[in-house]
């Protein structure tokens, strides 16, 4: 490092001054200066200072390191975790400008974490501790001679495979069974009918209160934990841990584009405002453009690029609308900045794109849609007048948790022999066969009895099942 | 104003901590397991035969995957066009599973199969491969093990020893240690390196009242051999410095086993058959040399005549001619009679042939095969019948299985294709043990 911490502190003060001026509201911020090896380590463990052990993190470390060693990908400039105080890492080998840029970018994320409604249930003050305690508990199971690493590992393997099969909207509290029951009773009551006398009495269907679950259940891990009596305490605990960690990351999965766009927008504004010296400014432009440049089609959209584009659009439309836009949407009632802060509070990627990804933007992005036809990948739609909506819908369908199929538990006593019946809520996309097989087998090991999955393949109904002995058919 | 940020520098002095090492190790173990599953395929590949030691082989193994419910490939994806590219509907932009192609922003975009290319040495491969196998039935013979002084092991250093085992490096180190400890180094800084007689005397007089220094002068200034009237500072090697390598004879347990590799090299053994036979014997040979030291291996190649050949010839030379299987057996029995008393030696005989024997030779072959069965721990016969070879060809397996019924140390297998080699090999190596149970 050809600069010292006091210099970073000086820049930090300038950045905070500007952030304050712009209206940020942040958690306290901690910066940890680390070397590139530490950075690789943090990356493999989602940035957490402590994390439970599992071979998959070793795999991800090797992968990141290989890519880094061969120069395929650099290390990210910034890595910040949603915690209070927010924890971010600065790599000591980075240039001064990169550190300044990173710091400004980190404050953007920090503000987003604190204010976006999706994160309101994440308990950031407990984050670091939660991961640490989880790690301690799992390590204690590994060290327990009656359990051991192999059994713990098998359990985590299985839990990881279905961890995303969970409640997607972390803002909604899961209903208790009692609440569900009450709602079902209410729904079953006959509607008030002013012409009762002349209408035939509607059939009263009694809800089946013996059914488990009462209504299709999304949280696979928790359900199995609560309804498989043969699981030992440590196994239940592992299911809980994996579930809790997944829930913690869901808001980040759901706001990737907004969040990165927000941070990029503000690091640009802040760096322009604090007036870095000329030589640093040129490096800033280079780095900034590296971060927000579009990706080639096969890598998907660059969330930094896409997010920034949309935020820029919001700012412009509210500050400086074209006559056409005024005609279409009316005169804006807020300033661009006010609108941006409102959006950063209330939206997530799906609604963000749904509301603000306009035809012009899609065209500007040169977005297109493709499909596999035989062995080839063929463009099916381009951003023209007719097709831009189709492209937009496909984009929205594939972001965040949209890329995870919705699979719910329909019945825990299927075929009257405790077969766990899962149903895939099919909306046009088929499941990958190999993954279904392996994941169902994992589910079976968790459930103990047979497991069945109902889905559609090529528009035809298809039932996959794994019997008690783990045999797939 | 936002709270002041806290800066912590953790990069100093933390170089030793490597948090992911445990998880990386578990991952590697899993990869090793994966290699193990793939090994038979690797060994069925001719290119590794006869490769010298230390050869590194690239093994493509499928990464240890983490499975989830993900979407397959029937859904559409979206992506971003190039600056200058004018993308039109109908444009073909890539190939499915094409190299380096991802799948854009599309559900299940992580479903791509990742292959690792792992570098392993041949030795490592063999070690993994032969982990569970051993020569069957080694216990049979009275003198089943002997103590052979084959190797000596380094067991540290000693003050005494024979000159041949003098460790120059160690001795030099000891010398430097003693030199530093004695104060010579300091002394040499203060005093001239070389003095003449007069100076030497002056020095002695000057330090006459300091017995310590005088003592040092007297012991470290030595007569210069090249200039008789001069004295030089030298710190000589002494017996205290010398260190000798200490070797311990290493007694290893050896088995007295001999393996006979008998291969049919006749004209009917075409390229494919020879290749299979060679892979089989190569495996056998590697297996024996990896797992057992001092096991004799005899290579016999036969067509109508048999001869004992070298390893090199055995694996690399082709011959042609008719087939008298009996000739191979005769040779083997001859070698056994000459060198390996069946009373003392564990004998393993393996024969690979396509079973296309001259009919007139069959009765003789059976007779000799019986004899081999009598003396050997195991007589393995592998018949190579590649698919499409036709069943009209005569087969020795049927003939042998009738004639050698009484011998439970006879074992025969058919090899149809190169993938069969490993299972057959394994069967041979576990043959007797299974029977014993």
């Amino acid at each position: 490092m050809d600069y010292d911490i006091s210099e970073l502190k000086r820049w930090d003060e300038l950045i905070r001054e500007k952030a304050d001026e712009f209206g940020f509201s942040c958690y306290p911020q901690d910066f940890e200066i680390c070397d590139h090896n530490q950075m690789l380590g943090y990356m493999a463990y989602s940035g957490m200072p402590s994390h439970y052990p599992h071979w998959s993190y070793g795999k991800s470390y090797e992968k990141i390191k290989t890519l880094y060693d061969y120069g395929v990908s650099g290390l990210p400039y910034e890595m910040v975790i949603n915690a209070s105080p927010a924890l971010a890492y600065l790599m000591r080998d980075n240039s001064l400008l990169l550190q300044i840029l990173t710091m400004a970018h980190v404050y953007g994320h920090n503000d987003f974490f604190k204010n976006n409604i999706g994160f309101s249930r994440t308990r950031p003050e407990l984050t670091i501790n939660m991961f640490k305690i989880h790690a301690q508990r799992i390590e204690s199971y590994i060290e327990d001679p009656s359990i051991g690493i192999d059994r713990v590992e098998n359990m985590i393997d299985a839990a990881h495979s279905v961890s995303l099969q969970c409640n997607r909207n972390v803002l909604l509290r899961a209903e208790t069974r009692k609440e569900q029951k009450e709602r079902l009773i209410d729904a079953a009551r006959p509607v008030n009918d002013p012409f009762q006398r002349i209408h035939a009495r509607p059939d009263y269907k009694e809800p089946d209160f013996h059914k488990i679950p009462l209504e299709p259940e999304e949280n696979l891990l928790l359900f199995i934990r609560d309804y498989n009596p043969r699981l030992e305490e440590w196994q239940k605990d592992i299911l809980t841990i994996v579930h809790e960690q997944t829930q913690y990351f869901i808001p980040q999965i759901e706001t990737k584009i907004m969040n990165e766009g927000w941070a990029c927008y503000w690091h640009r504004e802040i760096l322009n405002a604090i007036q870095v010296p000329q030589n640093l400014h040129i490096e800033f432009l280079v780095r900034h453009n590296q971060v927000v440049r579009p990706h080639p089609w096969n890598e998907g959209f660059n969330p930094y690029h896409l997010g920034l584009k949309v935020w820029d659009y919001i700012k412009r439309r509210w500050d400086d609308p074209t006559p056409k836009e005024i005609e279409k949407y009316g005169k804006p009632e807020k300033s661009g900045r006010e609108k941006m802060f409102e959006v950063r509070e209330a939206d997530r990627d799906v609604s963000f794109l749904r509301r603000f990804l306009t035809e012009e933007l899609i065209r500007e992005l040169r977005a297109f849609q493709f499909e596999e036809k035989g062995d080839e990948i063929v463009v099916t739609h381009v951003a023209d007048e007719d097709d831009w909506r189709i492209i937009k819908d496909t984009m929205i369908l594939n972001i965040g948790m949209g890329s995870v199929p919705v699979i719910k538990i329909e019945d825990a006593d299927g075929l009257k022999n405790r077969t766990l019946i899962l149903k895939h809520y099919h909306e046009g996309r088929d499941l990958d066969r190999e993954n279904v097989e392996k994941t169902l087998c994992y589910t079976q090991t968790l459930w103990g009895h047979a497991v069945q999955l109902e889905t559609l393949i090529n528009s035809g109904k298809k039932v996959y099942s794994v019997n008690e002995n783990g045999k797939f058919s | 104003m936002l709270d002041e940020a806290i800066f912590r520098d953790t990069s100093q002095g933390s170089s030793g901590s490597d948090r992911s090492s445990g998880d990386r190790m578990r991952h590697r173990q899993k990869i090793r397991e994966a290699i193990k599953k793939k090994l038979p395929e690797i060994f069925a590949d001719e290119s590794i035969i006869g490769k010298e030691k230390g050869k590194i082989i690239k093994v493509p193994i499928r990464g240890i995957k983490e499975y989830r419910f993900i979407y397959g490939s029937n859904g559409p994806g979206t992506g971003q066009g190039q600056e200058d590219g004018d993308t039109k509907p109908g444009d073909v932009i890539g190939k499915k599973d094409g190299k380096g192609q991802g799948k854009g922003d599309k559900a299940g975009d992580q479903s791509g199969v990742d292959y690792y290319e792992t570098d392993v040495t041949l030795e490592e491969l063999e070690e993994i491969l032969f982990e569970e196998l051993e020569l069957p039935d080694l216990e049979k013979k009275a003198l089943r093990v002997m103590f052979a002084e084959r190797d000596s092991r380094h067991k540290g250093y000693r003050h005494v020893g024979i000159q041949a085992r003098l460790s120059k490096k160690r001795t030099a180190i000891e010398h430097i240690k003693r030199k530093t400890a004695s104060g010579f180094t300091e002394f040499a800084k203060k005093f001239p390196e070389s003095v003449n007689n007069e100076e030497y005397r002056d020095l002695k007089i000057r330090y006459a009242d300091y017995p310590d220094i005088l003592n040092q002068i007297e012991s470290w200034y030595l007569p210069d051999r090249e200039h008789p009237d001069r004295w030089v500072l030298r710190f000589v090697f002494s017996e205290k410095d010398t260190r000798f390598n200490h070797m311990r004879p290493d007694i290893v347990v050896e088995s007295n086993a001999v393996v006979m590799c008998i291969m049919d090299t006749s004209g009917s053994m075409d390229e494919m058959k020879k290749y299979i036979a060679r892979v089989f014997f190569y495996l056998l040979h590697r297996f024996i040399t990896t797992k057992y030291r001092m096991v004799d291996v005899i290579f016999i190649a036969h067509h109508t005549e048999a001869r004992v050949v070298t390893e090199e010839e055995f694996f690399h030379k082709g011959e042609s001619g008719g087939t008298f299987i009996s000739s191979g057996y005769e040779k083997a029995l001859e070698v056994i009679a000459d060198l390996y008393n069946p009373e003392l030696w564990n004998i393993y005989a393996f024969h690979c042939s396509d079973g296309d024997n001259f009919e007139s030779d069959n009765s003789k072959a059976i007779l000799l095969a019986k004899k081999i069965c009598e003396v050997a721990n195991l007589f393995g016969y592998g018949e190579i019948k590649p698919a499409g070879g036709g069943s009209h060809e005569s087969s020795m397996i049927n003939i042998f299985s009738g004639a050698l019924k009484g011998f439970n140390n006879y074992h025969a297998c058919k090899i149809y294709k190169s993938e069969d080699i490993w299972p057959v090999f394994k069967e041979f190596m576990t043959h007797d043990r299974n029977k014993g149970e």
Side-chain angles (χ1 to χ4, degrees):
Chain A
M1 267 194 326
D2 51 357
Y3 46 87
D4 55 15
I5 287 186
S6 64
E7 188 153 8
L8 290 180
K9 279 189 172 155
R10 220 169 46 240
W11 286 106
D12 174 61
E13 200 178 330
L14 287 170
I15 292 168
R16 277 184 293 117
E17 232 167 62
K18 291 297 164 196
D20 213 41
E21 223 177 280
F22 292 138
F24 276 32
S25 146
C26 295
Y27 296 124
Q29 179 66 52
D30 285 5
F31 288 107
E32 212 172 291
I33 292 153
C34 61
D35 60 31
H36 68 274
N37 276 325
Q38 286 171 304
M39 194 65 168
L40 287 168
Y42 286 127
M43 284 170 74
Y45 295 91
S46 333
M48 293 300 162
S50 43
H51 196 290
Y52 64 78
H54 185 249
W55 61 266
S56 58
Y57 305 113
K59 171 183 164 178
S60 105
Y61 180 92
E62 304 262 23
K63 195 164 184 177
I64 300 165
K65 184 158 171 38
T66 310
L67 293 179
Y68 173 66
D69 285 350
Y70 286 97
V72 178
S73 70
L75 291 174
Y77 307 136
E78 133 272 340
M79 179 107 182
V80 50
I81 62 180
N82 167 29
S84 175
L87 181 55
Y89 304 101
L90 300 173
M91 210 156 53
R92 58 177 294 119
D93 312 329
N94 281 347
S95 66
L96 178 61
L97 181 274
L98 263 182
Q99 307 291 30
I100 299 169
L101 185 73
T102 305
M103 279 152 54
H105 190 90
V106 162
Y107 278 109
H109 283 310
N110 184 335
D111 171 77
F112 194 90
F113 287 145
K114 186 171 173 193
N115 296 289
N116 184 271
I117 191 162
F119 292 86
S120 57
R121 289 270 171 88
T122 52
R123 313 282 306 267
E125 66 283 4
L126 303 179
T127 304
I128 307 261
N129 232 350
M130 173 177 94
F131 278 83
K132 191 167 160 191
I133 288 167
H134 287 170
Q136 285 167 353
R137 295 217 300 261
I138 289 193
E139 273 154 17
S140 77
Y141 302 139
I142 291 174
E143 281 156 24
D144 185 335
S146 67
I147 304 172
I149 186 155
D150 290 324
R151 295 179 69 198
V152 170
E153 213 169 57
N154 290 342
M155 200 65 199
I156 298 179
D157 284 352
H160 277 182
S161 77
V162 289
S163 63
L164 285 173
Q165 254 53 59
C166 64
N167 173 22
R168 285 141 195 263
N169 192 339
V170 286
L171 294 178
L172 292 180
R173 189 174 55 81
E175 275 182 316
T176 61
R177 198 169 160 86
K178 198 175 155 209
E179 285 164 336
Q180 274 186 357
K181 225 174 205 173
E182 277 162 11
R183 195 162 44 76
L184 283 179
I185 293 172
D186 277 349
R189 284 211 179 97
V191 240
N192 259 345
D193 184 357
F195 302 104
Q196 237 171 31
R197 286 166 191 234
I198 50 172
H199 283 167
R201 180 178 282 208
D203 278 344
Y204 172 67
K205 254 196 244 143
E206 196 180 342
D208 178 6
F209 292 125
H210 297 291
K211 196 166 170 272
I212 294 174
L214 279 174
E215 288 187 316
E217 171 65 45
E218 287 179 301
N219 290 304
L220 247 72
L221 290 179
L222 292 191
F223 183 87
I224 290 174
R225 179 193 69 183
D226 295 340
Y227 288 93
N228 178 1
R230 289 192 281 187
L231 288 179
E232 293 171 40
E233 280 311 311
W234 67 268
Q235 292 177 310
K236 291 184 185 178
D237 193 32
I238 286 181
L239 298 185
T240 314
I241 287 172
V242 173
H243 175 80
E244 278 176 8
Q245 296 205 353
T246 312
Q247 292 282 298
Y248 169 82
F249 285 113
I250 282 181
Q252 290 178 39
I253 300 173
E254 288 280 75
T255 56
K256 177 86 180 157
I257 295 166
M258 279 179 86
N259 199 346
E260 292 301 355
W262 181 259
C264 286
Y265 182 91
W266 289 110
H267 81 221
R268 189 186 62 197
E269 297 300 307
I270 290 172
L271 261 83
N272 282 334
I274 58 176
Q275 294 183 338
V276 289
Q278 189 68 36
N279 56 335
L280 293 186
H281 191 76
I282 290 169
E283 192 189 345
F284 158 60
L285 292 177
V286 172
R287 296 295 186 181
H288 175 73
N289 283 317
Q290 275 171 359
V291 172
V292 301
R293 71 180 160 204
H295 284 170
W297 70 273
N298 53 1
E299 289 172 23
F301 286 94
N302 176 0
Y304 296 74
H305 175 69
L306 180 58
L308 181 62
K309 277 264 182 219
V310 178
W311 285 115
D312 277 339
Y313 163 78
I314 294 173
K315 177 89 164 69
R316 186 201 52 77
R317 203 184 97 192
W318 264 263
D319 273 350
D320 183 20
T322 59
K324 222 173 146 190
E325 279 167 347
I326 295 178
E327 193 185 308
K328 197 171 168 189
Y329 307 105
K331 226 175 152 54
E333 289 158 6
K334 294 187 173 90
S335 74
R337 191 177 293 171
E338 275 168 355
K339 185 69 189 172
M340 285 177 72
F341 275 84
E342 176 199 300
V343 170
R344 79 99 149 77
E345 208 161 313
D347 279 285
R348 60 199 173 106
D349 282 350
V350 171
S351 57
F352 183 66
L353 295 188
R354 175 93 40 223
R355 291 169 65 189
F356 304 112
L357 188 62
T358 59
E359 182 182 352
E360 293 75 38
L361 273 176
I362 289 195
R363 202 169 284 177
E364 228 181 289
L365 290 167
R366 277 174 257 272
F368 61 82
Q369 184 166 327
F370 56 83
E371 254 171 63
E372 280 175 17
K373 287 189 177 159
D375 270 354
E376 285 167 338
I377 297 170
V378 180
V379 177
T380 51
H381 303 279
V382 294
D384 57 24
E385 254 167 77
D386 305 320
D387 286 354
W388 71 271
R389 279 177 193 285
I390 299 175
I391 296 172
K392 178 171 167 177
D393 287 345
T394 309
M395 277 174 76
I396 290 170
L397 200 61
N398 285 327
I399 54 174
M401 292 295 283
S403 62
V404 181
V406 178
I407 289 169
K408 293 186 186 177
I409 298 171
E410 300 286 309
D411 195 349
D413 192 19
L415 315 174
K416 297 292 167 234
N417 64 358
R418 288 191 153 267
T419 298
L420 188 72
I421 310 274
L422 304 175
K423 186 177 167 192
H424 171 214
Y425 287 68
H426 197 283
E427 19 68 313
R429 292 174 288 179
D430 289 355
L431 297 178
D432 177 73
R433 167 71 171 60
E434 189 193 2
N435 273 280
V436 165
E437 176 178 342
K438 295 287 174 19
T439 313
L440 263 195
C441 287
Y442 280 132
T443 318
Q444 192 276 327
T445 62
L446 292 176
W447 182 240
H449 297 280
V451 175
Q452 233 177 48
L453 171 71
E454 199 184 302
T455 181
L456 298 178
I457 297 285
N458 297 329
S459 318
K461 193 177 154 186
K462 174 89 191 161
V463 177
Y464 295 108
S465 60
V466 176
N467 69 12
E468 307 83 277
N469 305 321
K471 182 131 180 45
F472 178 81
S473 56
Chain B
M1 181 80 180
L2 301 175
D3 293 341
E4 198 175 323
I6 293 170
F7 287 83
R8 276 189 305 263
D9 191 347
T10 59
S11 63
Q12 309 288 5
S14 71
S15 50
S17 79
D18 180 7
R19 62 187 303 209
S20 62
S21 64
D23 288 340
R24 292 203 317 266
M25 205 179 73
R26 285 299 285 180
H27 180 230
R28 293 229 175 98
Q29 279 172 5
K30 286 189 176 277
I31 289 185
R32 200 178 149 98
E33 292 295 309
I35 295 180
K36 204 164 164 180
K37 284 194 193 124
K38 190 144 176 128
L39 276 181
E41 281 174 51
I42 300 165
F43 268 90
D45 183 357
E46 188 172 20
S47 61
I48 66 155
I49 295 181
K51 285 281 157 63
E52 64 272 38
K53 281 187 183 175
K55 162 88 185 172
I56 287 170
I57 298 164
K58 285 207 184 295
V59 186
I61 52 156
R62 209 174 158 151
I64 315 297
K65 264 181 90 173
E66 297 165 86
Y67 295 94
R68 290 176 179 279
F69 289 120
I70 56 168
Y71 288 119
S73 53
N74 78 327
T78 50
Q80 220 171 330
Q82 294 296 311
E83 286 280 320
D84 48 350
D86 191 14
T87 322
K88 297 181 297 300
D91 281 0
V92 175
I93 45 175
K95 278 252 157 63
K96 193 177 167 183
D97 304 326
K99 104 180 139 184
Q101 296 284 19
K103 285 186 177 163
D105 247 356
K106 173 166 176 171
D109 60 342
Q110 278 137 36
S111 69
V113 181
D114 30 339
Y115 273 91
Y116 285 81
E117 245 188 20
T118 320
D119 292 349
V120 281
T121 62
L122 202 55
E123 280 75 23
E124 270 176 292
L125 273 187
E126 286 162 349
E127 190 192 313
I128 301 171
L129 189 64
F130 300 136
E131 230 164 43
E132 297 151 3
L133 297 176
E134 55 186 74
L135 278 176
D137 231 11
L138 258 182
E139 296 82 21
K140 259 189 179 171
K141 297 292 145 81
L143 287 175
R144 73 180 187 83
V145 290
M146 50 190 176
F147 294 97
E149 196 176 306
R150 199 180 115 79
D151 211 354
S152 40
R153 278 181 144 195
H154 198 251
K155 285 267 182 184
Y157 300 93
R158 280 183 156 189
H159 288 273
V160 289
I162 55 170
Q163 205 57 32
R165 291 208 178 131
L166 178 74
S167 167
K168 288 178 186 154
K169 186 177 169 194
R170 263 294 142 150
T171 305
I173 290 172
E174 290 301 323
H175 181 245
I176 292 166
K177 273 160 121 179
R178 202 168 53 84
K179 185 154 108 181
T180 314
S182 67
F184 178 86
T185 323
E186 286 301 304
F187 183 85
K189 281 181 193 159
K190 292 182 199 135
F191 289 86
E193 205 190 318
S194 164
V195 288
N196 59 29
N197 279 335
E198 269 170 55
E199 285 167 331
Y200 180 67
R201 214 173 318 120
D202 285 350
L203 276 177
K204 277 173 87 168
I205 292 164
R206 197 182 320 156
Y207 291 101
D209 292 343
Y210 304 91
D212 286 355
I213 297 176
L214 192 65
N215 197 15
Q216 288 174 338
I217 292 170
E218 279 174 354
S219 51
W220 291 336
Y221 275 109
L222 299 173
D224 193 334
R225 277 182 221 139
E226 281 150 39
H227 311 282
D229 54 342
R230 290 187 75 84
W231 300 74
V232 284
L233 260 185
R234 267 178 46 210
F235 194 79
V236 287
F237 278 91
S238 91
E239 268 186 16
K240 287 178 200 157
D241 299 327
T242 50
R243 291 292 181 280
F244 296 90
N245 288 321
H246 177 42
M247 311 301 276
R248 263 269 185 78
D250 196 19
I251 292 177
V252 281
V253 180
E254 302 283 6
S255 48
N256 47 335
V258 57
V259 175
M260 306 260 166
C261 301
I262 310 165
M263 182 163 65
D264 185 348
T265 57
S266 63
S268 63
M269 291 284 285
D270 59 24
E271 275 302 307
M272 186 62 193
K273 290 177 187 170
K274 270 188 192 138
Y275 156 60
I276 287 176
R278 278 186 183 145
V279 173
F280 177 83
F281 281 120
Y282 178 76
L283 266 181
L284 183 70
H285 182 225
R286 292 304 309 165
F287 166 63
I288 291 162
T289 42
T290 315
K291 286 276 270 208
Y292 303 89
R293 287 194 280 185
M294 290 276 289
V295 169
D296 287 0
V297 184
I298 302 291
F299 297 101
I300 296 170
H302 77 84
H303 35 98
T304 49
E305 283 164 30
R307 24 185 222 117
V308 175
V309 294
T310 63
E311 182 188 333
E312 170 76 23
E313 281 176 314
F314 188 78
F315 285 115
H316 298 287
K317 277 205 177 140
E319 280 178 71
S320 58
T323 316
F324 287 153
I325 285 180
S326 65
S327 69
Y329 297 167
E330 206 169 354
K331 193 62 159 180
L333 286 166
E334 211 179 294
V335 173
I336 291 170
D338 284 355
L339 298 171
Y340 303 103
N341 182 350
E343 296 283 310
L344 300 176
W345 287 81
N346 290 287
I347 297 167
Y348 301 88
F350 294 93
H351 181 211
C352 275
S353 163
D354 58 355
D356 201 2
N357 201 18
F358 272 119
E359 273 202 54
S360 59
D361 185 54
N362 282 355
S363 55
K364 195 178 173 195
I366 290 168
L367 192 77
L368 292 171
K370 275 185 183 163
K371 275 196 182 153
I372 291 183
C373 284
E374 276 160 20
V375 296
N377 294 44
L378 173 71
F379 173 45
Y381 174 65
E383 187 156 289
I384 303 160
K385 289 269 180 234
S391 50
H392 62 276
E393 285 177 16
S394 57
S395 160
M396 290 302 288
I397 278 207
N398 302 334
I399 300 168
F400 276 157
S401 61
L404 300 175
K405 214 176 238 165
F407 296 98
N408 61 8
N409 60 345
Y410 162 75
H411 192 73
C413 279
K414 274 195 183 173
I415 306 173
Y416 296 100
K417 51 187 187 301
S418 54
E419 286 78 41
D420 293 342
I421 297 172
W422 177 243
V424 165
F425 182 76
K426 242 166 131 171
E427 225 183 302
F428 275 140
M429 289 307 139
T430 46
H431 166 59
D432 269 27
R433 272 179 294 163
N434 293 342
K435 225 167 232 180
E437 276 156 15

